[in-house]
Amino acid sequence: MPRINNETDLEYKRRVIDIKSDSFCGAKWYNATIWLGSGQTTSCHHPLPHAIDAEEIKHNPKALHNTQKKKMEREQMQKGERPSGCEYCWKIEDIGRENISDRVYKTVIYTDKDLETAYAKPASNDVDLRTLEIAFDRTCNFGCSYCNPAFSSTWVKDIDTNGPFTGLTSDGRNHFTHSHGSSQLYKFGEYNPYVEAFFKWWETDLHRSLLELRLTGGEPLMSGDTWKLLEWFKNNDNRVNPDMRFAMNSNLGAKDDLIDRLIEASHSLKHFHLYTSNESMSQQSEYIRDGLVWDTWANNVEKVLTNGRIEGFHMMCTINALCLDSLDSFLDCCLNWKREYGKDFPTFSLNILRFPSFQSPLVLPDDIRNTYKLKLQAWFNANKNDPMLHQFELNQLQRLIDYLDVVKTPHMGAAEQSVLQQDFKKFFTQYDQRRGKNFIETFPSLVEWYNSI
Ligand code: SF4
């Protein structure tokens, strides 16, 4: 294992990273997110995505990840210079000399040998990835309120049909005013050179080098390329790296035949981890995650857990202003599934939404936020000794309770609360009209406040 003798983050950093340079990060060599629909990539989720050269990948598919930009940044890191796109890490490190930034956590997952190879190789060399997140396209049957057209074709349809959302002053990046054509350069069924390059690289090297492959979207079950890849696994059992973890994010709202195909395909995968998302109950979840039908979704969860070959099942909860009304009941629901299927089925994570900032929990007035905090505290107290809960799940819940208690002002880069509240009302008024929904009926405990905005 990469750490020796239970060394601390700082000890690891000194032993493995600092002896190379002051700015070395393994993610620049071995990790990537690649959006094949838009032809873009980044090393981790902090630096902004950049374009992949469509000509270069025709003769060298490895340039999907080994772009000229990343090669320049690797050279900088070998010399101890700081690539500007990694500002997130430099800011943390500049707070104090011994501060541990993400580059330590994103380096420690690779072997010392791989890291030495990366550091010693000329920066102009191509490297094969170890961990990869990939999106084939943005086709998705859901149009969740906190998503946008860059990631969902349902959102594109809404904007194309109904025009832009109007009057939102805090949407500085204009997520809801246009259909983000640059996120999907090719139409459905059209030749896409990035997808072609991916399958070439997959066939020659990637299937051997990867320790983790994660499919995201859109909704991966709606992409023909997902099924092409799953077919490859079925037909090439003896060629797959036996340790490779194959993960997929799915909204589990696809039609029955696709869910059945996924279950069948899971039996050809050695280490399959399924991630799905939800954070509230029944009609509230149908409101927030437009396209979701609660009974279908809950049935699909049980169907994949009963019939699939799944090593890990993960519930990603996006904590927004609306889900707090029924989050405690939703956690009960997760706990019931754990009792039926086992402690890891599902595990849950509580990821606090920051953008769009007018849907963040911080938009709520103090009294409502406090009521929700007390509900969660009561759930925590009642369940903290339940053996089905992991410590990290309790930690996340405690962190959310603290956040609701302490954080009073909007995040850096967000507008002030009164502006966010105005946008909240403007957004959901239009959302109701466009999507045939009814805020007032769905969230009775928010009505008085909502009407007062
Ligand atoms: S240095 Fe930080 S921002 Fe840059 S790739 Fe590594 S983890 Fe990501």
Side-chain angles (χ1 to χ4, degrees):
M1 284 301 291
R3 283 184 206 264
I4 52 172
N5 300 332
N6 295 324
E7 64 193 344
T8 62
D9 293 337
L10 192 58
E11 285 162 352
Y12 171 82
K13 178 171 178 279
R14 286 188 179 135
R15 179 177 63 81
V16 177
I17 301 181
D18 292 352
I19 59 158
K20 294 180 176 58
S21 84
D22 285 344
S23 59
F24 181 84
C25 172
K28 202 57 86 185
W29 279 259
Y30 294 123
N31 183 67
T33 297
I34 303 177
W35 293 271
L36 296 168
S38 62
Q40 292 192 313
T41 182
T42 181
S43 325
C44 79
H45 57 282
H46 299 309
L48 287 175
H50 62 274
I52 299 163
D53 187 331
E55 284 306 309
E56 197 181 354
I57 55 169
K58 284 184 186 158
H59 55 86
N60 178 20
K62 295 186 187 196
L64 276 178
H65 161 57
N66 295 282
T67 59
Q68 294 307 319
K69 181 173 170 62
K70 285 190 198 172
K71 287 178 175 176
M72 267 169 43
E73 291 173 342
R74 288 175 195 160
E75 190 177 350
Q76 285 181 289
M77 286 185 167
Q78 286 172 331
K79 292 183 190 158
E81 295 165 9
R82 294 173 159 193
S84 57
C86 297
E87 190 199 3
Y88 182 89
C89 283
W90 316 138
K91 271 200 175 135
I92 303 231
E93 291 176 25
D94 287 345
I95 295 170
R97 269 192 61 111
E98 306 212 322
N99 264 28
I100 301 296
S101 69
D102 264 13
R103 78 182 166 103
V104 174
Y105 304 119
K106 290 187 185 292
T107 300
V108 72
I109 53 179
Y110 308 112
T111 64
D112 292 0
K113 186 162 172 285
D114 273 351
L115 297 169
E116 274 155 31
T117 308
Y119 178 63
K121 264 187 176 187
S124 56
N125 283 21
D126 289 335
V127 290
D128 284 322
L129 285 161
R130 295 278 182 265
T131 46
L132 168 63
E133 180 178 64
I134 199 156
F136 286 116
D137 54 55
R138 63 172 167 176
T139 309
C140 185
N141 49 337
F142 284 14
C144 303
S145 68
Y146 46 67
C147 188
N148 67 65
F151 300 101
S152 159
S153 54
T154 299
W155 254 107
V156 174
K157 207 164 140 203
D158 178 345
I159 299 290
D160 286 350
T161 310
N162 302 309
F165 273 70
T166 55
L168 302 177
T169 51
S170 65
D171 178 24
R173 295 187 196 166
N174 287 323
H175 281 132
F176 306 107
T177 56
H178 64 107
S179 54
H180 296 253
S182 60
S183 297
Q184 190 63 48
L185 302 175
Y186 306 91
K187 292 203 178 71
F188 183 75
E190 216 172 61
Y191 166 73
N192 176 335
Y194 302 101
V195 172
E196 182 183 62
F198 168 75
F199 278 107
K200 277 191 191 161
W201 190 16
W202 175 261
E203 185 60 46
T204 55
D205 296 286
L206 267 187
H207 71 274
R208 272 195 303 262
S209 71
L210 282 178
L211 300 171
E212 175 169 307
L213 172 64
R214 182 155 170 165
L215 284 194
T216 182
E219 168 50 41
L221 296 186
M222 296 183 74
S223 168
D225 294 312
T226 298
W227 298 107
K228 184 175 167 184
L229 188 62
L230 287 171
E231 196 62 22
W232 187 96
F233 276 97
K234 190 172 163 191
N235 297 329
N236 293 277
D237 189 36
N238 53 351
R239 294 174 63 199
V240 180
N241 172 356
D243 299 325
M244 188 203 294
R245 190 177 184 269
F246 180 86
M248 187 189 291
N249 297 346
S250 170
N251 61 34
L252 288 184
K255 295 205 163 72
D256 283 352
D257 59 328
L258 293 179
I259 299 290
D260 291 341
R261 272 176 86 184
L262 175 67
I263 288 169
E264 194 201 326
S266 72
H267 290 276
S268 306
L269 301 167
K270 290 195 171 69
H271 305 286
F272 180 41
H273 286 247
L274 187 57
Y275 291 75
T276 194
S277 304
N278 208 343
E279 55 277 321
S280 62
M281 290 297 289
S282 308
Q283 72 270 34
Q284 295 194 343
S285 69
E286 293 175 358
Y287 185 96
I288 298 167
R289 298 181 56 73
D290 184 29
L292 182 145
V293 177
W294 172 267
D295 288 343
T296 308
W297 178 80
N299 282 339
N300 284 340
V301 167
E302 293 175 9
K303 198 168 171 185
V304 294
L305 287 175
T306 305
N307 302 308
R309 184 182 172 199
I310 298 175
E311 192 173 86
F313 183 67
H314 310 281
M315 191 67 65
M316 299 181 291
C317 307
T318 304
I319 305 304
N320 59 84
L322 297 183
C323 77
L324 293 167
D325 205 45
S326 57
L327 178 61
D328 55 342
S329 306
F330 184 73
L331 294 178
D332 279 336
C333 181
C334 290
L335 203 45
N336 286 338
W337 278 326
K338 282 169 175 280
R339 292 201 179 101
E340 188 165 351
Y341 299 101
K343 190 169 177 172
D344 291 339
F345 302 90
T347 58
F348 63 80
S349 59
L350 307 174
N351 312 300
I352 301 169
L353 179 105
R354 293 196 302 149
F355 297 101
S357 39
F358 60 81
Q359 293 186 45
S360 126
L362 299 181
V363 79
L364 297 169
D366 287 356
D367 58 331
I368 295 180
R369 208 170 48 213
N370 195 41
T371 306
Y372 290 153
K373 183 199 83 176
L374 294 174
K375 264 170 75 155
L376 288 175
Q377 186 69 61
W379 195 93
F380 184 95
N381 294 343
N383 295 291
K384 65 181 179 214
N385 296 320
D386 192 310
M388 282 294 147
L389 287 173
H390 288 281
Q391 189 57 47
F392 69 83
E393 293 169 323
L394 289 169
N395 291 348
Q396 296 217 355
L397 189 51
Q398 186 61 60
R399 188 187 65 159
L400 176 58
I401 292 166
D402 293 345
Y403 179 88
L404 293 173
D405 193 29
V406 173
V407 182
K408 302 274 193 252
T409 51
H411 293 282
M412 216 166 68
E416 64 182 62
Q417 195 192 40
S418 60
V419 174
L420 297 181
Q421 291 178 341
Q422 293 291 332
D423 277 0
F424 179 91
K425 177 97 180 253
K426 283 183 213 151
F427 179 87
F428 284 112
T429 305
Q430 295 174 62
Y431 186 77
D432 279 1
Q433 286 161 358
R434 290 158 176 257
R435 308 287 179 88
K437 298 196 182 291
N438 190 324
F439 185 97
I440 305 274
E441 280 175 12
T442 316
F443 299 98
S445 58
L446 293 177
V447 169
E448 199 183 325
W449 166 65
Y450 189 69
N451 284 339
S452 75
I453 300 174

